[in-house]
Amino acid sequence: MRIYLIGYMGCGKSTLGKRLAKHLNLEFVDMDHYIEMRNHKTIPQIFAEEGESEFRKKERKALEELSEFSNIVIATGGGAPCFFDNIDLMNQTGATIYMNIDPAILADRLIHSKTERPLIKGKTKEELIVFIDEMLTKRRPFYSQAKHEITEPDIELKVIEEMIS
Ligand code: S3P
């Protein structure tokens, strides 16, 4: 069993991923954390020192490795499904669940988040809402290729279990 949670920054992939992994008795891996461990650098450091395109290559490499792990729930990075043929690799190797959360809720969560995210650093809430809207227009065609979709981050775990069975 391998489950990929996908969706925009701040949609709650890690929180749901941990709950789901516990419920299904699986391991949980946060892809960004995995990239940081594998490269001995934080995500902001990779962006600052090597640029986004190098980050995307490292992200792809991490996905290739994680796609061979078993009994696992993976919280993917917000951009992960949108580069290379990453979404195809995820669909071929596991159950993909798109967390489709309202942009206003995403903006609110991101403003209050302690995680440093290079792509949105320093933006006000108003700027964030516009940025998220624009980015979702580009990313939705990728996200919507997931096999399953949920719109509620606090969804009952039983519902997800049934969805992917
Ligand atoms: C990114 C999302 C981040 C992280 C990086 C880029 C994106 O992950 O991979 O900062 O392109 O949306 P989260 O979705 O876990 O914040």
Side-chain angles (χ1 to χ4, degrees), residues 7-10 13 32 43 47 55-56 59 76-79 117-119 135 139:
Y8 201 77
M9 291 179 265
K13 291 163 291 193
D32 285 340
I43 301 291
F47 268 79
F55 170 75
R56 296 303 170 193
E59 186 176 56
T76 66
R117 292 177 166 98
L119 294 175
M135 222 165 169
R139 288 185 169 185

mmCIF file with all atom_site columns, all heavy atoms in Angstrom, residues 7-10 13 32 43 47 55-56 59 76-79 117-119 135 139, ligand 1:
data_model
loop_
_atom_site.group_PDB
_atom_site.id
_atom_site.type_symbol
_atom_site.label_atom_id
_atom_site.label_alt_id
_atom_site.label_comp_id
_atom_site.label_asym_id
_atom_site.label_entity_id
_atom_site.label_seq_id
_atom_site.pdbx_PDB_ins_code
_atom_site.Cartn_x
_atom_site.Cartn_y
_atom_site.Cartn_z
_atom_site.occupancy
_atom_site.B_iso_or_equiv
_atom_site.pdbx_formal_charge
_atom_site.auth_seq_id
_atom_site.auth_comp_id
_atom_site.auth_asym_id
_atom_site.auth_atom_id
_atom_site.pdbx_PDB_model_num
ATOM   1   N N   . GLY A 1 7   ? -1.477 18.400 -3.307  1.00 0.00 ? 7   GLY A N   1
ATOM   2   C CA  . GLY A 1 7   ? -2.266 19.630 -3.209  1.00 0.00 ? 7   GLY A CA  1
ATOM   3   C C   . GLY A 1 7   ? -1.382 20.813 -2.869  1.00 0.00 ? 7   GLY A C   1
ATOM   4   O O   . GLY A 1 7   ? -0.192 20.652 -2.557  1.00 0.00 ? 7   GLY A O   1
ATOM   5   N N   . TYR A 1 8   ? -1.989 21.979 -2.918  1.00 0.00 ? 8   TYR A N   1
ATOM   6   C CA  . TYR A 1 8   ? -1.252 23.226 -2.749  1.00 0.00 ? 8   TYR A CA  1
ATOM   7   C C   . TYR A 1 8   ? -0.631 23.344 -1.349  1.00 0.00 ? 8   TYR A C   1
ATOM   8   O O   . TYR A 1 8   ? -1.105 22.721 -0.395  1.00 0.00 ? 8   TYR A O   1
ATOM   9   C CB  . TYR A 1 8   ? -2.202 24.412 -3.009  1.00 0.00 ? 8   TYR A CB  1
ATOM   10  C CG  . TYR A 1 8   ? -1.453 25.669 -3.358  1.00 0.00 ? 8   TYR A CG  1
ATOM   11  C CD1 . TYR A 1 8   ? -0.912 25.840 -4.627  1.00 0.00 ? 8   TYR A CD1 1
ATOM   12  C CD2 . TYR A 1 8   ? -1.241 26.666 -2.406  1.00 0.00 ? 8   TYR A CD2 1
ATOM   13  C CE1 . TYR A 1 8   ? -0.181 26.973 -4.939  1.00 0.00 ? 8   TYR A CE1 1
ATOM   14  C CE2 . TYR A 1 8   ? -0.516 27.801 -2.712  1.00 0.00 ? 8   TYR A CE2 1
ATOM   15  C CZ  . TYR A 1 8   ? 0.017  27.950 -3.976  1.00 0.00 ? 8   TYR A CZ  1
ATOM   16  O OH  . TYR A 1 8   ? 0.745  29.067 -4.277  1.00 0.00 ? 8   TYR A OH  1
ATOM   17  N N   . MET A 1 9   ? 0.390  24.207 -1.260  1.00 0.00 ? 9   MET A N   1
ATOM   18  C CA  . MET A 1 9   ? 1.000  24.514 0.048   1.00 0.00 ? 9   MET A CA  1
ATOM   19  C C   . MET A 1 9   ? -0.101 24.914 1.035   1.00 0.00 ? 9   MET A C   1
ATOM   20  O O   . MET A 1 9   ? -1.007 25.663 0.677   1.00 0.00 ? 9   MET A O   1
ATOM   21  C CB  . MET A 1 9   ? 1.945  25.729 -0.088  1.00 0.00 ? 9   MET A CB  1
ATOM   22  C CG  . MET A 1 9   ? 3.185  25.474 -0.889  1.00 0.00 ? 9   MET A CG  1
ATOM   23  S SD  . MET A 1 9   ? 4.212  26.975 -1.026  1.00 0.00 ? 9   MET A SD  1
ATOM   24  C CE  . MET A 1 9   ? 3.669  27.648 -2.580  1.00 0.00 ? 9   MET A CE  1
ATOM   25  N N   . GLY A 1 10  ? -0.009 24.408 2.232   1.00 0.00 ? 10  GLY A N   1
ATOM   26  C CA  . GLY A 1 10  ? -0.949 24.813 3.276   1.00 0.00 ? 10  GLY A CA  1
ATOM   27  C C   . GLY A 1 10  ? -2.276 24.067 3.267   1.00 0.00 ? 10  GLY A C   1
ATOM   28  O O   . GLY A 1 10  ? -3.146 24.355 4.081   1.00 0.00 ? 10  GLY A O   1
ATOM   29  N N   . LYS A 1 13  ? -1.580 18.521 3.957   1.00 0.00 ? 13  LYS A N   1
ATOM   30  C CA  . LYS A 1 13  ? -1.116 17.171 3.561   1.00 0.00 ? 13  LYS A CA  1
ATOM   31  C C   . LYS A 1 13  ? -0.402 16.454 4.711   1.00 0.00 ? 13  LYS A C   1
ATOM   32  O O   . LYS A 1 13  ? -0.634 15.272 4.943   1.00 0.00 ? 13  LYS A O   1
ATOM   33  C CB  . LYS A 1 13  ? -0.155 17.276 2.362   1.00 0.00 ? 13  LYS A CB  1
ATOM   34  C CG  . LYS A 1 13  ? -0.827 17.699 1.064   1.00 0.00 ? 13  LYS A CG  1
ATOM   35  C CD  . LYS A 1 13  ? 0.196  18.184 0.045   1.00 0.00 ? 13  LYS A CD  1
ATOM   36  C CE  . LYS A 1 13  ? 0.803  19.479 0.486   1.00 0.00 ? 13  LYS A CE  1
ATOM   37  N NZ  . LYS A 1 13  ? 1.569  20.208 -0.523  1.00 0.00 ? 13  LYS A NZ  1
ATOM   38  N N   . ASP A 1 32  ? 9.201  16.826 1.605   1.00 0.00 ? 32  ASP A N   1
ATOM   39  C CA  . ASP A 1 32  ? 10.143 17.938 1.806   1.00 0.00 ? 32  ASP A CA  1
ATOM   40  C C   . ASP A 1 32  ? 11.187 17.580 2.862   1.00 0.00 ? 32  ASP A C   1
ATOM   41  O O   . ASP A 1 32  ? 12.371 17.863 2.707   1.00 0.00 ? 32  ASP A O   1
ATOM   42  C CB  . ASP A 1 32  ? 9.405  19.206 2.261   1.00 0.00 ? 32  ASP A CB  1
ATOM   43  C CG  . ASP A 1 32  ? 8.655  19.880 1.124   1.00 0.00 ? 32  ASP A CG  1
ATOM   44  O OD1 . ASP A 1 32  ? 8.982  19.617 -0.044  1.00 0.00 ? 32  ASP A OD1 1
ATOM   45  O OD2 . ASP A 1 32  ? 7.742  20.673 1.418   1.00 0.00 ? 32  ASP A OD2 1
ATOM   46  N N   . ILE A 1 43  ? 14.972 23.206 2.644   1.00 0.00 ? 43  ILE A N   1
ATOM   47  C CA  . ILE A 1 43  ? 14.344 23.591 1.361   1.00 0.00 ? 43  ILE A CA  1
ATOM   48  C C   . ILE A 1 43  ? 14.707 25.053 1.024   1.00 0.00 ? 43  ILE A C   1
ATOM   49  O O   . ILE A 1 43  ? 15.127 25.323 -0.104  1.00 0.00 ? 43  ILE A O   1
ATOM   50  C CB  . ILE A 1 43  ? 12.800 23.400 1.416   1.00 0.00 ? 43  ILE A CB  1
ATOM   51  C CG1 . ILE A 1 43  ? 12.438 21.936 1.735   1.00 0.00 ? 43  ILE A CG1 1
ATOM   52  C CG2 . ILE A 1 43  ? 12.139 23.873 0.121   1.00 0.00 ? 43  ILE A CG2 1
ATOM   53  C CD1 . ILE A 1 43  ? 12.730 20.918 0.685   1.00 0.00 ? 43  ILE A CD1 1
ATOM   54  N N   . PHE A 1 47  ? 16.674 26.291 -2.495  1.00 0.00 ? 47  PHE A N   1
ATOM   55  C CA  . PHE A 1 47  ? 16.155 27.336 -3.402  1.00 0.00 ? 47  PHE A CA  1
ATOM   56  C C   . PHE A 1 47  ? 17.161 28.484 -3.524  1.00 0.00 ? 47  PHE A C   1
ATOM   57  O O   . PHE A 1 47  ? 17.441 28.951 -4.624  1.00 0.00 ? 47  PHE A O   1
ATOM   58  C CB  . PHE A 1 47  ? 14.811 27.891 -2.900  1.00 0.00 ? 47  PHE A CB  1
ATOM   59  C CG  . PHE A 1 47  ? 13.605 27.174 -3.452  1.00 0.00 ? 47  PHE A CG  1
ATOM   60  C CD1 . PHE A 1 47  ? 13.208 25.952 -2.922  1.00 0.00 ? 47  PHE A CD1 1
ATOM   61  C CD2 . PHE A 1 47  ? 12.862 27.717 -4.486  1.00 0.00 ? 47  PHE A CD2 1
ATOM   62  C CE1 . PHE A 1 47  ? 12.085 25.287 -3.416  1.00 0.00 ? 47  PHE A CE1 1
ATOM   63  C CE2 . PHE A 1 47  ? 11.742 27.052 -4.987  1.00 0.00 ? 47  PHE A CE2 1
ATOM   64  C CZ  . PHE A 1 47  ? 11.350 25.844 -4.451  1.00 0.00 ? 47  PHE A CZ  1
ATOM   65  N N   . PHE A 1 55  ? 16.071 22.358 -7.344  1.00 0.00 ? 55  PHE A N   1
ATOM   66  C CA  . PHE A 1 55  ? 15.169 21.789 -6.337  1.00 0.00 ? 55  PHE A CA  1
ATOM   67  C C   . PHE A 1 55  ? 14.239 20.765 -6.990  1.00 0.00 ? 55  PHE A C   1
ATOM   68  O O   . PHE A 1 55  ? 14.012 19.687 -6.448  1.00 0.00 ? 55  PHE A O   1
ATOM   69  C CB  . PHE A 1 55  ? 14.352 22.886 -5.640  1.00 0.00 ? 55  PHE A CB  1
ATOM   70  C CG  . PHE A 1 55  ? 13.246 22.327 -4.783  1.00 0.00 ? 55  PHE A CG  1
ATOM   71  C CD1 . PHE A 1 55  ? 13.520 21.736 -3.559  1.00 0.00 ? 55  PHE A CD1 1
ATOM   72  C CD2 . PHE A 1 55  ? 11.922 22.349 -5.219  1.00 0.00 ? 55  PHE A CD2 1
ATOM   73  C CE1 . PHE A 1 55  ? 12.517 21.171 -2.794  1.00 0.00 ? 55  PHE A CE1 1
ATOM   74  C CE2 . PHE A 1 55  ? 10.903 21.793 -4.454  1.00 0.00 ? 55  PHE A CE2 1
ATOM   75  C CZ  . PHE A 1 55  ? 11.203 21.205 -3.241  1.00 0.00 ? 55  PHE A CZ  1
ATOM   76  N N   . ARG A 1 56  ? 13.693 21.108 -8.173  1.00 0.00 ? 56  ARG A N   1
ATOM   77  C CA  . ARG A 1 56  ? 12.745 20.195 -8.843  1.00 0.00 ? 56  ARG A CA  1
ATOM   78  C C   . ARG A 1 56  ? 13.427 18.871 -9.212  1.00 0.00 ? 56  ARG A C   1
ATOM   79  O O   . ARG A 1 56  ? 12.787 17.818 -9.186  1.00 0.00 ? 56  ARG A O   1
ATOM   80  C CB  . ARG A 1 56  ? 12.143 20.859 -10.087 1.00 0.00 ? 56  ARG A CB  1
ATOM   81  C CG  . ARG A 1 56  ? 11.296 22.090 -9.794  1.00 0.00 ? 56  ARG A CG  1
ATOM   82  C CD  . ARG A 1 56  ? 10.145 21.809 -8.845  1.00 0.00 ? 56  ARG A CD  1
ATOM   83  N NE  . ARG A 1 56  ? 9.484  23.043 -8.403  1.00 0.00 ? 56  ARG A NE  1
ATOM   84  C CZ  . ARG A 1 56  ? 8.621  23.094 -7.391  1.00 0.00 ? 56  ARG A CZ  1
ATOM   85  N NH1 . ARG A 1 56  ? 8.313  22.009 -6.716  1.00 0.00 ? 56  ARG A NH1 1
ATOM   86  N NH2 . ARG A 1 56  ? 8.061  24.238 -7.051  1.00 0.00 ? 56  ARG A NH2 1
ATOM   87  N N   . GLU A 1 59  ? 13.662 16.934 -6.066  1.00 0.00 ? 59  GLU A N   1
ATOM   88  C CA  . GLU A 1 59  ? 12.301 16.488 -5.720  1.00 0.00 ? 59  GLU A CA  1
ATOM   89  C C   . GLU A 1 59  ? 11.945 15.246 -6.541  1.00 0.00 ? 59  GLU A C   1
ATOM   90  O O   . GLU A 1 59  ? 11.378 14.275 -6.024  1.00 0.00 ? 59  GLU A O   1
ATOM   91  C CB  . GLU A 1 59  ? 11.336 17.644 -5.995  1.00 0.00 ? 59  GLU A CB  1
ATOM   92  C CG  . GLU A 1 59  ? 9.903  17.420 -5.563  1.00 0.00 ? 59  GLU A CG  1
ATOM   93  C CD  . GLU A 1 59  ? 9.054  18.670 -5.787  1.00 0.00 ? 59  GLU A CD  1
ATOM   94  O OE1 . GLU A 1 59  ? 8.992  19.187 -6.928  1.00 0.00 ? 59  GLU A OE1 1
ATOM   95  O OE2 . GLU A 1 59  ? 8.447  19.133 -4.823  1.00 0.00 ? 59  GLU A OE2 1
ATOM   96  N N   . THR A 1 76  ? 3.306  14.880 -0.321  1.00 0.00 ? 76  THR A N   1
ATOM   97  C CA  . THR A 1 76  ? 4.199  15.406 -1.362  1.00 0.00 ? 76  THR A CA  1
ATOM   98  C C   . THR A 1 76  ? 4.289  16.930 -1.259  1.00 0.00 ? 76  THR A C   1
ATOM   99  O O   . THR A 1 76  ? 3.410  17.578 -0.699  1.00 0.00 ? 76  THR A O   1
ATOM   100 C CB  . THR A 1 76  ? 3.697  15.013 -2.771  1.00 0.00 ? 76  THR A CB  1
ATOM   101 O OG1 . THR A 1 76  ? 2.460  15.674 -3.021  1.00 0.00 ? 76  THR A OG1 1
ATOM   102 C CG2 . THR A 1 76  ? 3.506  13.507 -2.893  1.00 0.00 ? 76  THR A CG2 1
ATOM   103 N N   . GLY A 1 77  ? 5.344  17.514 -1.833  1.00 0.00 ? 77  GLY A N   1
ATOM   104 C CA  . GLY A 1 77  ? 5.453  18.968 -1.873  1.00 0.00 ? 77  GLY A CA  1
ATOM   105 C C   . GLY A 1 77  ? 4.403  19.533 -2.822  1.00 0.00 ? 77  GLY A C   1
ATOM   106 O O   . GLY A 1 77  ? 3.997  18.857 -3.775  1.00 0.00 ? 77  GLY A O   1
ATOM   107 N N   . GLY A 1 78  ? 3.978  20.765 -2.573  1.00 0.00 ? 78  GLY A N   1
ATOM   108 C CA  . GLY A 1 78  ? 2.886  21.367 -3.364  1.00 0.00 ? 78  GLY A CA  1
ATOM   109 C C   . GLY A 1 78  ? 3.129  21.395 -4.867  1.00 0.00 ? 78  GLY A C   1
ATOM   110 O O   . GLY A 1 78  ? 2.187  21.308 -5.658  1.00 0.00 ? 78  GLY A O   1
ATOM   111 N N   . GLY A 1 79  ? 4.405  21.491 -5.273  1.00 0.00 ? 79  GLY A N   1
ATOM   112 C CA  . GLY A 1 79  ? 4.687  21.554 -6.705  1.00 0.00 ? 79  GLY A CA  1
ATOM   113 C C   . GLY A 1 79  ? 5.014  20.203 -7.312  1.00 0.00 ? 79  GLY A C   1
ATOM   114 O O   . GLY A 1 79  ? 5.088  20.065 -8.537  1.00 0.00 ? 79  GLY A O   1
ATOM   115 N N   . ARG A 1 117 ? 8.508  29.034 3.386   1.00 0.00 ? 117 ARG A N   1
ATOM   116 C CA  . ARG A 1 117 ? 8.267  28.563 2.019   1.00 0.00 ? 117 ARG A CA  1
ATOM   117 C C   . ARG A 1 117 ? 8.796  29.614 1.033   1.00 0.00 ? 117 ARG A C   1
ATOM   118 O O   . ARG A 1 117 ? 8.201  30.683 0.904   1.00 0.00 ? 117 ARG A O   1
ATOM   119 C CB  . ARG A 1 117 ? 6.775  28.310 1.811   1.00 0.00 ? 117 ARG A CB  1
ATOM   120 C CG  . ARG A 1 117 ? 6.235  27.124 2.611   1.00 0.00 ? 117 ARG A CG  1
ATOM   121 C CD  . ARG A 1 117 ? 4.749  26.973 2.434   1.00 0.00 ? 117 ARG A CD  1
ATOM   122 N NE  . ARG A 1 117 ? 4.215  25.713 2.894   1.00 0.00 ? 117 ARG A NE  1
ATOM   123 C CZ  . ARG A 1 117 ? 3.637  25.530 4.089   1.00 0.00 ? 117 ARG A CZ  1
ATOM   124 N NH1 . ARG A 1 117 ? 3.561  26.520 4.959   1.00 0.00 ? 117 ARG A NH1 1
ATOM   125 N NH2 . ARG A 1 117 ? 3.134  24.350 4.403   1.00 0.00 ? 117 ARG A NH2 1
ATOM   126 N N   . PRO A 1 118 ? 9.895  29.291 0.321   1.00 0.00 ? 118 PRO A N   1
ATOM   127 C CA  . PRO A 1 118 ? 10.554 30.286 -0.530  1.00 0.00 ? 118 PRO A CA  1
ATOM   128 C C   . PRO A 1 118 ? 9.640  30.942 -1.560  1.00 0.00 ? 118 PRO A C   1
ATOM   129 O O   . PRO A 1 118 ? 9.787  32.128 -1.850  1.00 0.00 ? 118 PRO A O   1
ATOM   130 C CB  . PRO A 1 118 ? 11.644 29.473 -1.249  1.00 0.00 ? 118 PRO A CB  1
ATOM   131 C CG  . PRO A 1 118 ? 11.847 28.263 -0.425  1.00 0.00 ? 118 PRO A CG  1
ATOM   132 C CD  . PRO A 1 118 ? 10.584 27.982 0.307   1.00 0.00 ? 118 PRO A CD  1
ATOM   133 N N   . LEU A 1 119 ? 8.684  30.185 -2.109  1.00 0.00 ? 119 LEU A N   1
ATOM   134 C CA  . LEU A 1 119 ? 7.862  30.742 -3.187  1.00 0.00 ? 119 LEU A CA  1
ATOM   135 C C   . LEU A 1 119 ? 6.911  31.846 -2.725  1.00 0.00 ? 119 LEU A C   1
ATOM   136 O O   . LEU A 1 119 ? 6.464  32.663 -3.528  1.00 0.00 ? 119 LEU A O   1
ATOM   137 C CB  . LEU A 1 119 ? 7.048  29.632 -3.871  1.00 0.00 ? 119 LEU A CB  1
ATOM   138 C CG  . LEU A 1 119 ? 7.857  28.593 -4.643  1.00 0.00 ? 119 LEU A CG  1
ATOM   139 C CD1 . LEU A 1 119 ? 6.954  27.492 -5.177  1.00 0.00 ? 119 LEU A CD1 1
ATOM   140 C CD2 . LEU A 1 119 ? 8.596  29.246 -5.810  1.00 0.00 ? 119 LEU A CD2 1
ATOM   141 N N   . MET A 1 135 ? -1.511 30.601 -9.450  1.00 0.00 ? 135 MET A N   1
ATOM   142 C CA  . MET A 1 135 ? -0.755 29.356 -9.455  1.00 0.00 ? 135 MET A CA  1
ATOM   143 C C   . MET A 1 135 ? -1.678 28.135 -9.563  1.00 0.00 ? 135 MET A C   1
ATOM   144 O O   . MET A 1 135 ? -1.351 27.159 -10.225 1.00 0.00 ? 135 MET A O   1
ATOM   145 C CB  . MET A 1 135 ? 0.056  29.262 -8.184  1.00 0.00 ? 135 MET A CB  1
ATOM   146 C CG  . MET A 1 135 ? 1.431  28.749 -8.458  1.00 0.00 ? 135 MET A CG  1
ATOM   147 S SD  . MET A 1 135 ? 2.419  29.082 -7.039  1.00 0.00 ? 135 MET A SD  1
ATOM   148 C CE  . MET A 1 135 ? 3.848  28.134 -7.450  1.00 0.00 ? 135 MET A CE  1
ATOM   149 N N   . ARG A 1 139 ? -1.674 24.898 -11.898 1.00 0.00 ? 139 ARG A N   1
ATOM   150 C CA  . ARG A 1 139 ? -1.436 23.581 -11.292 1.00 0.00 ? 139 ARG A CA  1
ATOM   151 C C   . ARG A 1 139 ? -2.626 22.628 -11.318 1.00 0.00 ? 139 ARG A C   1
ATOM   152 O O   . ARG A 1 139 ? -2.443 21.415 -11.249 1.00 0.00 ? 139 ARG A O   1
ATOM   153 C CB  . ARG A 1 139 ? -0.965 23.782 -9.837  1.00 0.00 ? 139 ARG A CB  1
ATOM   154 C CG  . ARG A 1 139 ? 0.444  24.331 -9.788  1.00 0.00 ? 139 ARG A CG  1
ATOM   155 C CD  . ARG A 1 139 ? 0.955  24.417 -8.384  1.00 0.00 ? 139 ARG A CD  1
ATOM   156 N NE  . ARG A 1 139 ? 2.392  24.702 -8.349  1.00 0.00 ? 139 ARG A NE  1
ATOM   157 C CZ  . ARG A 1 139 ? 3.116  24.738 -7.251  1.00 0.00 ? 139 ARG A CZ  1
ATOM   158 N NH1 . ARG A 1 139 ? 2.534  24.496 -6.071  1.00 0.00 ? 139 ARG A NH1 1
ATOM   159 N NH2 . ARG A 1 139 ? 4.402  25.001 -7.291  1.00 0.00 ? 139 ARG A NH2 1
HETATM 160 C C1  . S3P B 2 .   ? 6.382  24.085 -2.962  1.00 0.00 ? 1   S3P B C1  1
HETATM 161 C C2  . S3P B 2 .   ? 5.778  23.541 -1.848  1.00 0.00 ? 1   S3P B C2  1
HETATM 162 C C3  . S3P B 2 .   ? 6.524  23.196 -0.637  1.00 0.00 ? 1   S3P B C3  1
HETATM 163 C C4  . S3P B 2 .   ? 7.984  22.874 -0.964  1.00 0.00 ? 1   S3P B C4  1
HETATM 164 C C5  . S3P B 2 .   ? 8.601  23.981 -1.750  1.00 0.00 ? 1   S3P B C5  1
HETATM 165 C C6  . S3P B 2 .   ? 7.849  24.281 -3.052  1.00 0.00 ? 1   S3P B C6  1
HETATM 166 C C7  . S3P B 2 .   ? 5.533  24.407 -4.154  1.00 0.00 ? 1   S3P B C7  1
HETATM 167 O O1  . S3P B 2 .   ? 5.908  22.079 -0.013  1.00 0.00 ? 1   S3P B O1  1
HETATM 168 O O2  . S3P B 2 .   ? 8.094  21.654 -1.670  1.00 0.00 ? 1   S3P B O2  1
HETATM 169 O O3  . S3P B 2 .   ? 8.656  25.111 -0.941  1.00 0.00 ? 1   S3P B O3  1
HETATM 170 O O4  . S3P B 2 .   ? 6.075  24.546 -5.259  1.00 0.00 ? 1   S3P B O4  1
HETATM 171 O O5  . S3P B 2 .   ? 4.285  24.497 -3.994  1.00 0.00 ? 1   S3P B O5  1
HETATM 172 P P1  . S3P B 2 .   ? 4.532  22.159 0.862   1.00 0.00 ? 1   S3P B P1  1
HETATM 173 O O6  . S3P B 2 .   ? 3.398  21.969 -0.095  1.00 0.00 ? 1   S3P B O6  1
HETATM 174 O O7  . S3P B 2 .   ? 4.679  21.017 1.798   1.00 0.00 ? 1   S3P B O7  1
HETATM 175 O O8  . S3P B 2 .   ? 4.530  23.484 1.532   1.00 0.00 ? 1   S3P B O8  1
#
